[in-house]
Amino acid sequence: MRAQVATATQPLAHYAESFRGLQGSATTAPWFLRKLRQDGFVRFSDRGFPTLRDEDWRFTNVAAIAQTPFRLVPNGGRLPAPSDLAAYRIAEAAGEWVFIDGRFAPSLGSVRDLPKGVEVGSLANEIENNPGAIEPHLGRYLNIERDPFSALNTAFIDDGAYIHIPRGTVLRSPIHLLFISTAHNAPSVHHPRNLIVVGETSQATIIEQYVSLGRGEKVLCNTATELSVGDHSVVSHYMIEREEEGAFNISTLRIQQGRTADVASHSLLAGGALVRNNVHPVLAGEGGECLINGLFLGRHRQHLDNYMLVEHASPHCASRQFYNGILDGHAHGVFHGRIIVHKQAQKTDAKQTNRNLLLSDTAQIDTKPQLEIYADDVKCTHGATIGQIDEDALFYLRSRGIAEASARRLLLFAFASECLERMRAGPAQAYVENLIQQALGYVGEASRIQNHQESVP
Amino acid sequence: MSLLEIKDLHARVDGNEILKGVNLALDSGEVHSIMGPNGSGKSTLAQVLARRETYEITAGQVLFAGKDLLALKPEEAACEGLFLAFQYPVEIPGISNAYFLRSAVNAIRKYRGEDEVDAIDFLPKLRERLKLLDMDEKLLNRSVNEAFSGGEKKRNEILQMAVLEPRLAILDETDSGLDIDALKVVAQGVNAMRSPDRAILVVTHYQRLLDYIVPDYVHVLVDGRIVRSGGPELALQLEEQGYAALESAAASSGSAA
C-alpha cells in the first residue's frame, strides 16, 4: 500500500514492478536476504527520493534520477571483450574482479597474487553457498532509515563483491574491484552491493573503480559497500569514479571500525554527470583512527557531491577529513562534512578541512560543516577555503620560464596532489596519480613521480 | 648596443602613475644599483621588466638584447635571459624545489631549441650551486619556499639565478630581512655570478648590500624618475645624507616641468 501512495507523487511504479520480479523469481534466496530486501523496499517506498528540502540533500537535486524510469539490467547480457577493459587494469594489483552492471563476471578478471585464506568473489555466490558467513554482516551496518538510496540498494541486493580477509593476514597488493556500467537502449539501473569483512590484525587495500563502457540511454549505478574492520587492522579503501559524463552514480561506503583499527577512505570523483559519494565510518572501538581523504575534479555540468558522516562512538578515536575540489565550467561541487561525537566518545580528536579551487565564474561549491558533539572532552576543528589559482604563484612560475598553460597545470596538480600525499605509497597511489594527471590534461608532461625520483639521496 | 635599454618608461597601476619617464642603459659585465626611498617605483620597475601584467605601460620603450621587452610574456622574457629575484618569494605547496628548478631549466632549454636535461644529469650542477650558497640539500625536496625562513627564501632566489644563468639578473630588495651573515652569503653568491656576459641590477633601499656587492653604477629613483646617477660613492653619500634632499629637489623639478 505504501508503495502505491508514493507512486502518486513520484514515478516509483517501475521500481515496485522490478522489486516484485526480483523477490518472486529468486525464491531460493534465504529468508534473511528476503527480509532485508523487503525492509529496504518498504523504507524506500515510504521516503521516496530525497528533495532539496531534505537537509542531507540541500545542494543536490536528484529530480533527474527520480523522473527517469530506470529498469533493472536484465540478466545474461553480452559480456564485453577482455580487451575493452585493458585501460582500466592495475598491473600491480592482486588481481581484478570485474562486475558487469553489478554482476560478477569471473571470466573477465584475473587473480595474480592473493594470500591463502583470502576470499574475493561474488556476494550472490557466497549467499547461496555460505549464507552463514554473510548473515552476521550484510545489512547490519548500512543505515537505510536515513538514506533512501541505501534503502533502494538494499531492496535490490542481488550481487556485488564479497571479500573476506581472515585475521592476521597481510595483503601486499591491492584488491581491485572493477565495476562496469554498460550501455543499454533504455534507462537502466544496477545496485552493486559489496560486503568486505576484515578480521583482526590484518592489513589490506581495496580499490573500487567505477567506469562506463559504451554510451546508450541513462545509467544509474547505485552502489553500497559495508566494510567491517576488525580490531587492530589497517585498511585502505579507494573509491574511484570515472564513469562517462552522462552517468549517475550514488555510492555509500559504510565502515565499521573495531578497536585501534586504522582505516583510510580515499575517493577520487572525476567522472559522471551526477555523483554522490557517502562515506560513513563509525568508530565503534576505542582508539580507532579514520582518515577520509577526497579529491573531486568537476568540469562542464558535472555535479559532484561528497557527503561525510563520521560517528565517534568510542573514546580516544581520531578522525581526519581532507577534501580538495577543483571545479571548472558550470560544475557544481558539494562538501558536506558531518561529525557526530556520541556521549561516551571522550577524548575524540576530529578534524575536517575542505579546500576548493574554482576555475570559472560559473563553477560552484557548497561546503557545509556540521558538528554534533554530545561528549564534553573532545577536540573538533573544521575549516573550508574557496579560491582561485594564485596569481602570484602563476607569475612566479612564469618568471622562471614556464609557459602559462604549463604553470597553471602545475599549480592545479600541486593542489590536487595534496590528497596523494595522504595515501600510502604503492600501486593504488600511483594509479590515482596517473588519473589525476589525465583529468588535468597533464598527459605527456612531467609527472610527480619524477618529482619524487628527484629527491636527493 | 646595450643589453638593456629603458627609454622614457611610464607605467601605472590602478590609475596611479608610478613610473614617470625612466631612462636607463645597462651593458653586459656591469653591475648597476637602483636606490630610492619607499614608494619611488623601484619594485614597480623590477616587476615591469619581469613583465608582471598588473602594470599598464603608458609610454616608453624597453629593449632587451635588441628585442622589444614590453612585447614579451613573463616566460618569454625569462627564456630570453631575464631573471628577477623576488622581494617576496612565493610559496608553492606541492611542487618540490628540485622539480621546479628542473622544470624552469628545461622550459628555457626548450625555448632555445636545446635538449632537456634529466634529473640525474641535473643533480651535480645543482649540488655545486647549493654549496656556493651554503644551502642544505634537504631544501631541494621541500615544496618551493614553503615554510622556508626569510633567509632561506632569499638564498633560494639566488640559487635559481645561479642555476638559470641569466643574461640580466634583477635583484629586488634581496637584502631585506637578512641578517649580516645571510647577507654575506647571498652577496657571495651574487658576486660569483658576475661575468662579462651578464649584467646585474641591484634594487635596494639601503646601502648596506652594496658594501658586499659593489656596483659599477648607482642610480637614484625618486618619484618614478631617475634623478641622479653616479659611481658607488653615490650610495655612500645617500647613506649619510638620506633621500630627503633628492626628494625635495625632485619635487621642485617636477613642478617646474
Side-chain angles (χ1 to χ4, degrees), chain B residues 22 35 50 77 87 123 160 233:
Chain B
V22 174
M35 300 185 68
Q87 182 179 3
L123 198 54
Q160 291 169 39
E233 71 286 350

Side-chain angles (χ1 to χ4, degrees), chain A residues 230-247:
Chain A
D231 293 353
H232 209 61
S233 282
V234 179
V235 174
S236 295
H237 180 277
Y238 287 74
M239 160 70 189
I240 300 172
E241 161 60 3
R242 48 187 298 221
E243 288 174 283
E244 54 99 5
E245 274 187 37

Side-chain angles (χ1 to χ4, degrees), chain A residues 8-29:
Chain A
T9 51
Q10 286 173 321
L12 298 179
H14 52 282
Y15 288 101
E17 195 181 302
S18 295
F19 182 70
R20 282 193 297 272
L22 177 72
Q23 286 286 66
S25 71
T27 44
T28 53

Side-chain angles (χ1 to χ4, degrees), chain A residues 390-393 395-404 410-411 414 417 442 446-447 450-451 454-457, chain B residues 50 52-53 74-75 78 83-84 86 90 92-93 95-96 98-100 102 104 107-108 127 137 140-141 145 157 160:
Chain A
D390 180 352
E391 290 296 325
D392 288 334
F395 177 63
Y396 192 67
L397 292 173
R398 294 178 73 192
S399 79
R400 299 301 182 247
I402 299 168
E404 185 179 0
L410 200 52
L411 290 173
S417 67
Y442 222 91
S447 76
Q450 290 170 356
N451 193 1
E454 210 140 330
S455 52
V456 176
Chain B
R52 180 101 204 201
E53 283 149 350
E75 55 268 37
F83 180 88
L84 171 66
F86 280 53
V90 182
I92 309 182
I95 301 177
S96 84
Y99 180 71
F100 167 59
R102 195 165 62 85
I108 292 171
R127 281 210 166 112
E137 287 194 0
L140 291 179
N141 294 335
N145 293 326
E157 293 295 290
Q160 291 169 39

